[in-house]
Amino acid sequence: MTMTRSKGSVTDRVQGEPIALDGAKAVAQAMRQMNPDVVAAYPITPQTEIVQTFSEYVANGEVDTEFVAVESEHAAMSACIGAAAAGGRVQTATTSAGMAFMWEVLYVASSLRLPIIMAVANRALSAPLNIHCDHSDAMGARDAGWLQVYAEDVQEAYDNAFQALRIAEHPDVMLPVMHCQDGFIISHGVERLELLPDGAVKEFIGTYTPRYSLLDTEHPATFGPVDLQDHYFEHKRQQVDGMEKALAVVEEIGQEYGDLTGRYYGHLSPYRLEDAEIAIVVMGSTAGTTKIAVDKMRERGIKAGLLKLRTFRPFPADAVAEALAGVSAVAVLDRAIAFGSQGNPIFLDVCTSLYASGARPDVVNYVYGLGGRDTTASQITTVYADLLNIAETGQRGPLVRYLGLRE
Amino acid sequence: MAINLRQMCNERDQLAPGHRLCPGCAEPVVVRQILHAIEDPVVVANATGCLEVSTSIFPYTSWRVPWIHSAFENASTTAAGAESMYRSLVRQGKMADNGTKFLAFGGDGATYDIGFQFLSGVWERGHKVLYVCLNNEAYMNTGIQRSSATPLGAWTTTSPVGRVRPGKRENRKNMTAIAVAHEIPYVAQASPHLWRDLMNKVQRALAADGPSFINVLAPCPRGWRSEPGESISISKLAADTCVWPLYEVIDGVWKLNYKPRNKRPVTDWMKSQGRFSHLLKPENEELVTQIQERVDKEWEALVTKCEAN
Amino acid sequence: MALKSWRELPIGGVILESGSSVDYLTGGWRAERPIIDMDRCTSCMICWIFCPEGGILVEESKVTGIDMDHCKGCGICALECPPKVIKMVQEVTALEGEQGR
């Protein structure tokens, strides 16, 4: 289990300010508190509210940020790359087609080891055009070398924003991070959350000293050279190292953040999983819905549990395998399709983790919620019912299923 | 800073030798001239292309100034990002204002085609970046394919001379005029043979309060099918035939920098390069006339604009 | 030179030794070699401003020679030299001459 619990004293904690905000505004608020040196961004539904709220902070002089209102998402990431290589703190935000348009330069950002922070309000990809939530955008970028951290609710979206910065800038990591929240569901859902005092944020994020900077004209460095057969492979291996080391860093920062706020974070959040016989693995807002289903199942005496995944990249394989070691049947819920693959992104990683660990529960995959299709607690109870059947009969049935789809 | 060759030649090149651009390529000539014209600290962003791939093969770099390559289309925006960071850090007192200048290099493919939107955005937002187009009138790094800067009638591998088509069928885009239309404070066309003019333009561009653009003709012996030793003389021929007029537009005011004493026919320009050799055949006489008429018309329009001031 | 392992290289592919390409010699590309008649050279620096390699060697505003480690033999200097005191000779001939000495 990767979740580490409080060691810090409650009296060290800062007093949060309760407030009602939607996820987009909460993240914009976090960006204000982090006061990045440069933000370059382009509006796209449902991320727009982040950009326009942040623009107001700029217009009112509440941040020192140089805000670059670019002409496209590709330009947003391109400007972020130039700005980050120039040695300061850089953030942006996007979703869906915007992230797809950035695709080429997402790789450049991670390969140049630039700790850029990107808020993502996850949304479906065209065609047909759909502005609502699924995870197709970020899953499309899963191999782009970015860390991906997901929120269940507005509070987590807000909290993740600060931790993303600390993780990205950690000397062992030095990789960009996207912190994701479900488009509309979280980004436009108003919830109660606690805001940190500005001073506490300032202290938590500290200052950033770049290893190399374009603006260090006394020590001119060449960024992004041509890298051929004799060195490219080594540079890619270094990125793997950063990703692997991020596993420990995510937990370290989550612990530190917990000591500050009382809200502890790791890679995973298990819910009633200790003695569970059947379990669901899910990421994002649907984890909240799943908890309701778990409780319903428990009321019926069924040992159902949930494993909420917070970090998708790096994938916490060992922790996932350990968490699921005791269950006999698992359903992995994916809010994206990996077309033509034997199962979908999270499922693939969960299966690999289990296989490598030697644990052999039956595992099935459910695609759910594409294009913002609502996923209800009662639908999820049907998944648990399926799992129960698999556990009892030993008959796995279809590997990939579709939840909430009209057949 | 006055341009004085005898003084400048004692200063070390900011582009080191050992780069792998072809013999006779005009690009490093232009880059050397530009970097010698700048006294302040300078940061360079470079689009994918010949200059980029030939000057930065790991672990070798020819650059003695901070340099970044991100992608093909976004050198302008990459430079603008660095410039934004510089402005932010200086404004916040996180670094001293040391007069750092921001420069972006892109070929004509990067400038006229794939990076067009990015460049337009950088100009509209007013980033203080000097963007230099090293214009060799085709995609040379990938092996001589037509771009929207390729002139009418030119042979390239994607506008080949065949039984029914005499090279490129379209006129080139007037990128310099498009830059002027953005109403940025400084726009110019230049050529390495008039090195003093080019270096002065760099200084004026960097002194401008906002974005600047210099479109520099950069002969490519490989792609133009010309003699490597003739790259400078060919660029002079471009100015003398008015195929590549040298002018600048400062805050909307047009100024001609070079007026040939005897304007030479475009055929003189064509004869210097194998990419035009098919045009000199009798069957293409009409096309040559058409090209000459276009050059004349554009030249006259330019002279009129410049004389109006 | 042994190539470095991934643990030894700076991350991000950054090159910290500026101008390191001087160690990469391009003189071997040359088919023709420029020879300056130093007695007649006026050090006008036209060859210096037009050399694609930055290969014209200068000391105290005087031309002292050509960086043959990097000169690719393009011939721009010879063509542009105002007093015409640079001539291109076949590299093979020049090498034979050197060996002869």
Side-chain angles (χ1 to χ4, degrees), chain A residues 37-38 64 66 68-72 74-75 78-79 82-83 88 90 104-105 108 214 220-227 231, chain B residues 43 52-53 56 58 61 64-69 71 73-74 77-78 81-82 84-85 87-88 91-92 94 117-118 125:
Chain A
D37 297 307
V38 171
D64 297 312
E66 194 63 41
V68 190
V70 285
E71 78 288 350
S72 76
H74 192 310
S78 297
V90 179
E104 176 195 24
V105 274
V108 176
L214 278 177
T222 288
F223 291 76
V226 175
D227 206 18
H231 286 98
Chain B
V43 172
E52 173 261 332
V53 299
S56 72
F58 193 93
T61 177
R64 290 180 174 135
V65 295
W67 180 93
I68 183 168
H69 164 258
E73 61 286 349
N74 64 3
T77 315
T78 307
S84 300
M85 180 57 75
R87 275 188 289 121
S88 178
R91 182 165 42 73
Q92 295 180 70
K94 289 181 179 174
Q117 171 183 317
F118 294 78
R125 292 191 301 276

Side-chain angles (χ1 to χ4, degrees), chain B residues 27 43 65 68 78 95 154 162 170 174 176 180 217 233 265 301-302:
Chain B
E27 289 194 353
V43 172
V65 295
I68 183 168
T78 307
M95 78 173 278
E170 303 83 14
N174 190 341
T176 313
V180 174
L217 192 72
S233 60
L302 177 66

Side-chain angles (χ1 to χ4, degrees), chain B residues 92-171:
Chain B
Q92 295 180 70
K94 289 181 179 174
M95 78 173 278
D97 184 351
N98 59 5
T100 300
K101 301 290 184 281
F102 295 86
L103 190 55
F105 288 116
D108 49 285
T111 308
Y112 284 57
D113 291 349
I114 199 169
F116 187 67
Q117 171 183 317
F118 294 78
L119 195 47
S120 180
V122 167
W123 289 340
E124 184 270 335
R125 292 191 301 276
H127 294 280
K128 223 173 152 182
V129 170
L130 165 57
Y131 189 99
V132 176
C133 175
L134 299 165
N135 190 345
N136 52 28
E137 303 191 321
Y139 290 90
M140 298 313 187
N141 189 41
T142 44
I144 323 162
Q145 290 79 36
R146 61 89 82 190
S147 76
S148 61
T150 305
L152 177 65
W155 164 90
T156 71
T157 61
T158 51
S159 61
V161 179
R163 280 187 295 279
V164 296
R165 288 191 185 181
K168 195 190 177 212
R169 298 197 298 174
E170 303 83 14
N171 278 301

